[in-house]
Amino acid sequence: MGHDNHIEELLNQGIIYFSGEVTQESMEKLAAKLLKLDVDKNVEHPILIYINSPGGDVAAVFGVIDIIQNMRLPVDTYGIGEICSCGLLLFLAGEHRYITPTTDVLSHQYAWGKGGKHHELEANRKAEDILMKKIIKYYKERTGLKETVIKKKLLPPSDIWLTTEETYKYNIATAIVKGRKIIKSKILKKKKTKNLKKLTK
């Protein structure tokens, strides 16, 4: 079975593997896979996206986040390797968010635009202010944390590398999974989801 056939087989089971930089092109491909599953009436189970990404294009990732949040099917995310910057934003879109103890996690403030003439710098500053408000609102919605905590612990001026335990503490991840063993889970306090059963059976 070829590489493309393996990917198609995983997709038929509602599993998507995303690895690499967040770009317009990579997000278009991810969006196409998500929409394909969402319109397929034969697919009733939750979708699971494995994410291993160093980050990238903020606008591109929010396009996919909008799709995820408006889908018929629930979408869960699973962080492996690294989920940094925009990769972390994509991870946060999951209804249930699984992470391994060895996953590297980077959260930081996001920049928009480049240097230029005075009026261009003014426009960039306004764009960055709008973006920062959108990011903070998104973090609040996904983690339930107060804005003061988000600014101090997750979006300070300097880059913040988080341990797996910290991602769990701040509600970025809802479950820590090692192999087939659940180390910690906020999901189990409610119910064992289909994807969690799949990951640990």
Side-chain angles (χ1 to χ4, degrees):
M1 184 180 289
H3 177 69
D4 290 342
N5 289 334
H6 282 299
I7 293 176
E8 190 65 26
E9 180 61 28
L10 288 173
L11 192 61
N12 290 337
Q13 297 178 40
I15 299 173
I16 299 172
Y17 177 64
F18 174 73
S19 178
E21 190 175 351
V22 173
T23 64
Q24 286 290 344
E25 182 180 3
S26 67
M27 290 297 96
E28 285 175 6
K29 291 179 179 178
L30 179 56
K33 291 176 182 178
L34 288 166
L35 292 171
K36 178 182 178 182
L37 289 171
D38 202 45
V39 299
D40 187 344
K41 299 302 181 182
N42 293 319
V43 180
E44 294 295 337
H45 46 74
I47 297 168
L48 180 63
I49 309 175
Y50 284 84
I51 302 168
N52 179 13
S53 173
D57 189 324
V58 182
V61 80
F62 267 109
V64 172
I65 289 169
D66 285 343
I67 288 173
I68 290 173
Q69 293 183 336
N70 289 283
M71 288 180 62
R72 171 181 65 88
L73 296 168
V75 177
D76 297 338
T77 50
Y78 195 123
I80 58 173
E82 62 177 348
I83 46 172
C84 303
S85 188
C86 290
L88 181 58
L89 294 180
L90 180 59
F91 176 76
L92 278 167
E95 181 176 337
H96 301 299
R97 303 179 291 277
Y98 313 101
I99 195 169
T100 69
T102 56
T103 303
D104 294 323
V105 181
L106 171 65
S107 179
H108 64 181
Q109 293 185 8
Y110 296 78
W112 187 283
K114 301 178 181 178
K117 297 178 182 178
H118 178 73
H119 69 278
E120 292 172 334
L121 293 174
E122 287 292 328
N124 287 341
R125 277 195 287 270
K126 182 176 181 181
E128 287 187 359
D129 288 342
I130 293 171
L131 176 63
M132 194 60 187
K133 289 178 181 177
K134 179 166 71 172
I135 297 287
I136 291 172
K137 181 182 178 183
Y138 179 63
Y139 268 74
K140 285 173 67 177
E141 290 173 350
R142 305 312 296 163
T143 67
L145 296 174
K146 294 181 179 179
E147 185 172 330
T148 52
V149 176
I150 292 170
K151 287 182 176 180
K152 182 179 180 180
K153 300 295 185 179
L154 301 178
L155 295 173
S158 57
D159 289 354
I160 293 293
W161 289 95
L162 300 167
T163 65
T164 299
E165 291 291 335
E166 286 173 325
T167 65
Y168 187 79
K169 174 183 177 182
Y170 295 125
N171 296 328
I172 292 172
T174 56
I176 303 175
V177 181
K178 183 178 182 181
R180 297 294 180 181
K181 182 180 179 182
I182 304 165
I183 298 175
K184 288 186 177 180
S185 177
K186 296 174 183 179
I187 304 168
L188 288 178
K189 294 176 181 178
K190 300 176 182 178
K191 61 179 180 178
K192 193 165 185 177
T193 66
K194 289 183 179 179
N195 272 331
L196 192 56
K197 290 178 181 176
K198 185 192 304 180
L199 293 169
T200 58
K201 68 181 180 180

